[in-house]
């Protein structure tokens, strides 16, 4: 699988600190991103309002090729399911949603290029998109300079609060931090941190190191792989040296790298009874593609698993399988992508317009939804409340939920363990506060 990455050029955002300095990782080759529209429309080339005639145009921007396609293609399926359901129920403000789909091709400059096209050429009302923080960081200047709107569905490292983004995945206090606390209480105090070499894993690990320090636990090692790289043997050697008698592996690898990593840690004897691995980017879809036999009994922390027992989830799973096949699975980023389409719809209907983004932004705050994961609410910081769950991979590739918070946790985009951001908050409903203020 790593050959797909070798044919592409990557600009990877990341640093050993909380900065987002640019690292260029180049491998030659051509790419051919594609444009897809909904089956009932043709590609739009003219500059017309997003909501014109009987339709409202939205953009879908994910990696349909490259190393991140293993995760992002299924997220698109979830977004299209929500659009299909909304259209069948009468649409938005009486108009049908028309989607224009673009391939970011796991290439961050391509994401920025396609975001610009969707806004300027296609004149979409909003964009649903991205997975990696590198892709989100690449498009962020586009959405901010054009005062447009992105809905982002994946857990991330926090340390960001943009007026132009609505985040329906977890902030660190809704995923990473509770997982670290649970591991310290149940699995031990020695952690080896492994991740992909871009902003999310590096920032997440900065937070984890501060948290471990505050909790009396220890980071015994830390290492990174370029996205798509499968040369994991050196990292496994370091893990065995740092944890000769076993310990916790905290895994923030993304994309194809996880395939090699889990196969090789098993081959090296790093079994979950002695080396429990907690992943933040491995969900049901990845378990299925990597192989259950390599992931059984390891852990993941999310806000949603397919095995969540709520009436809304039973309906979601049934609808997804009816549309895409009984053998398909759903996961947390897919659920977050599904619900963000509905939250956008509710905000548009409250605002009474699909074109006035300032009105929609204000209307989005306070929106509630009976999500498959449980009740969620959009906060003034443009993040949603979420229940936190830890799951253990079982024989069928789904997750046995071994722990959860009693209810939804309020989002904190600015981290309270990191000294530089401790005490800061975000509130886009108050002009005097905005994206970062001392609470």
């Amino acid at each position: 699988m790593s050959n797909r990455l070798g044919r592409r050029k990557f600009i990877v955002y990341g640093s050993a600190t909380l900065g987002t300095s640019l690292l260029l990782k180049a491998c030659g080759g051509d790419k051919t991103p594609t444009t897809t529209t909904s089956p009932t429309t043709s590609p739009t080339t003219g500059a017309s309002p997003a909501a014109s005639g009987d339709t409202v145009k939205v953009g879908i921007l994910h990696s349909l090729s490259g190393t991140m396609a293993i995760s992002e293609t299924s997220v698109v399926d979830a977004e299209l399911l929500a659009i299909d359901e909304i259209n069948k129920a009468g649409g938005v403000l009486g108009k049908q949603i028309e989607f224009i789909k673009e391939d970011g091709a796991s290439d961050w400059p391509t994401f920025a290029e396609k975001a610009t096209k969707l806004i300027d050429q296609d004149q979409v009302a909003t964009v649903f998109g991205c997975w990696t923080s590198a892709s989100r960081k690449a498009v962020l200047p586009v959405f901010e300079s054009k005062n447009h709107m992105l809905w982002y569905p994946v857990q991330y490292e926090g340390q960001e609060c943009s007026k132009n983004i609505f985040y329906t995945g977890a902030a660190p206090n809704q995923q990473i931090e509770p997982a670290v606390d649970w591991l310290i209480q149940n699995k031990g105090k020695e952690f080896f941190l492994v991740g992909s070499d871009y902003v999310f894993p590096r920032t997440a690990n900065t937070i984890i190191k501060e948290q471990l320090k505050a909790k009396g636990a220890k980071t015994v090692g830390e290492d990174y792989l370029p996205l798509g790289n499968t040369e994991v043997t050196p990292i496994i050697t370091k893990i065995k040296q740092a944890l000769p008698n076993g310990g916790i592996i905290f895994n923030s690898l993304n994309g194809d790298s996880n395939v090699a990593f889990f196969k090789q840690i098993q081959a090296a004897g790093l079994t979950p009874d002695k080396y429990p691995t907690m992943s933040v980017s491995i969900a049901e879809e990845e378990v299925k593609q990597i192989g259950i036999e390599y992931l059984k009994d390891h852990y993941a922390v999310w806000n949603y698993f397919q095995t969540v027992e709520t009436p809304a989830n039973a309906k979601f799973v049934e609808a997804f399988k009816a549309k895409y096949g009984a053998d398909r699975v759903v996961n947390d980023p897919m659920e977050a992508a599904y619900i963000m389409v509905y939250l956008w719809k509710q905000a548009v209907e409250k605002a009474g317009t699909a074109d006035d983004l300032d009105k929609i932004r204000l209307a989005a705050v306070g929106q509630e939804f009976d999500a498959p994961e449980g009740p969620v609410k959009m906060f003034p910081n443009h993040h949603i409340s979420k229940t936190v769950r830890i799951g253990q991979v079982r024989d069928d590739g789904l997750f046995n939920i071994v722990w959860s918070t009693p209810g939804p946790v309020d989002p904190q985009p600015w981290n309270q363990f990191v000294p530089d951001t401790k005490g800061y908050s975000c509130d886009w409903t108050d002009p005097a506060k905005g994206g970062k203020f001392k609470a």
Side-chain angles (χ1 to χ4, degrees), residues 82-98:
I83 289 171
D84 187 46
E85 289 178 348
I86 291 168
N87 281 342
K88 286 179 179 176
V92 179
L93 298 175
K95 298 175 184 288
Q96 293 288 287
I97 301 173
E98 171 191 340

Side-chain angles (χ1 to χ4, degrees), residues 119 128 173:
I119 296 168
F128 304 110
N173 75 300

Side-chain angles (χ1 to χ4, degrees), residues 94-396:
K95 298 175 184 288
Q96 293 288 287
I97 301 173
E98 171 191 340
F99 66 85
I100 300 171
K101 186 165 60 175
E102 292 287 353
D103 182 9
S106 304
D107 179 77
W108 319 144
T110 299
F111 267 92
E113 171 193 326
K114 294 302 183 181
T116 302
K117 174 194 174 289
L118 287 167
I119 296 168
D120 289 346
Q121 180 177 322
D122 299 314
Q123 300 250 312
V124 296
T126 192
V127 176
F128 304 110
C130 300
W131 175 297
T132 66
S133 288
S135 62
R136 190 191 70 255
K137 292 287 188 185
V139 303
L140 179 58
V142 176
F143 284 92
E144 291 192 335
S145 67
K146 297 177 182 298
N147 195 29
H148 217 274
M149 183 185 294
L150 171 71
W151 291 74
Y152 176 67
V154 185
Q155 41 57 270
Y156 82 120
E157 71 282 356
Q159 308 300 66
E160 177 181 296
C161 190
S162 173
K163 181 184 81 168
N164 300 90
I165 300 180
F166 286 92
Y167 309 76
T168 60
N173 75 300
Q174 298 169 311
Q175 187 197 32
I176 293 168
E177 293 171 27
V180 170
D181 283 341
W182 184 85
L183 288 166
I184 291 171
Q185 292 165 15
N186 294 279
K187 297 297 176 180
K189 294 188 174 183
E190 293 188 323
F191 286 63
F192 194 102
L193 312 179
V194 56
S196 297
D197 194 3
Y198 71 100
V199 64
F200 165 59
R202 285 194 174 273
T203 308
N205 287 340
T206 296
I207 292 167
I208 291 169
K209 287 183 287 185
E210 293 292 342
Q211 185 178 355
L212 293 176
K213 211 186 307 180
K215 302 281 183 173
K218 184 180 180 183
T219 305
V220 300
E222 179 180 5
D223 211 347
Y224 298 89
L225 277 177
L227 265 170
N229 189 298
T230 58
E231 298 300 321
V232 298
T233 302
I235 289 181
I236 293 171
T237 300
K238 290 177 185 177
I239 293 171
K240 293 175 79 172
Q241 289 172 346
L243 295 169
N245 300 313
I248 296 160
I249 302 170
F250 203 99
N251 170 39
S252 53
L253 290 170
N254 259 286
D256 293 352
S257 300
N258 276 304
V259 179
F261 181 71
F262 279 98
K263 287 182 177 180
Q264 291 189 41
I265 63 170
Q266 185 183 90
L270 276 62
T271 52
D273 56 331
K274 288 186 65 177
Y275 293 88
T277 299
M278 179 69 75
S279 296
V280 293
S281 293
I282 293 287
E284 289 86 342
E285 184 73 17
E286 288 78 16
V287 171
K288 184 178 177 182
Q289 295 194 43
I290 293 168
I292 299 167
E293 64 273 26
Y294 301 109
L295 283 151
K296 187 179 178 301
D297 292 332
H298 286 295
Y299 297 91
V301 57
W302 293 103
N303 309 106
Y304 168 85
F305 292 103
Q306 184 173 313
T307 46
V308 167
E309 295 182 356
T310 66
N313 187 42
K315 181 181 175 184
F316 171 57
V317 173
E318 181 183 1
F320 189 87
K321 288 178 177 289
K323 184 173 176 66
Y324 296 110
D327 62 331
R328 292 292 302 276
V329 294
V330 289
N331 62 29
D332 182 288
M334 294 164 69
E335 188 260 1
Y338 174 81
I339 67 175
M340 74 184 179
V341 180
Y342 275 97
L343 287 168
W344 167 79
K345 169 191 178 287
Q346 290 177 188
V348 167
E349 291 180 337
K350 181 180 179 182
T353 173
D355 292 317
D356 190 329
L357 300 189
D358 288 332
K359 284 186 179 179
I360 296 167
R361 272 189 281 269
L362 288 174
V365 174
Q367 289 298 327
E368 299 181 13
F369 188 69
D370 183 19
E373 68 183 76
V376 300
K377 180 180 179 180
M378 183 63 70
F379 275 63
N381 57 26
H382 289 189
H383 295 65
I384 63 174
S385 55
K386 299 178 78 69
T387 301
V388 187
R389 296 176 171 95
I390 291 172
Q392 187 174 29
V393 181
R394 63 191 200 190
D395 289 337
D396 61 358

Side-chain angles (χ1 to χ4, degrees), residues 24-56:
L24 182 64
K25 300 189 179 289
C27 315
D30 298 325
K31 56 185 180 289
T32 55
T34 59
T35 301
T36 310
T37 60
S38 58
T40 57
T41 62
S42 58
T44 304
T45 56
S48 58
S52 60
D54 297 326
T55 64
V56 178

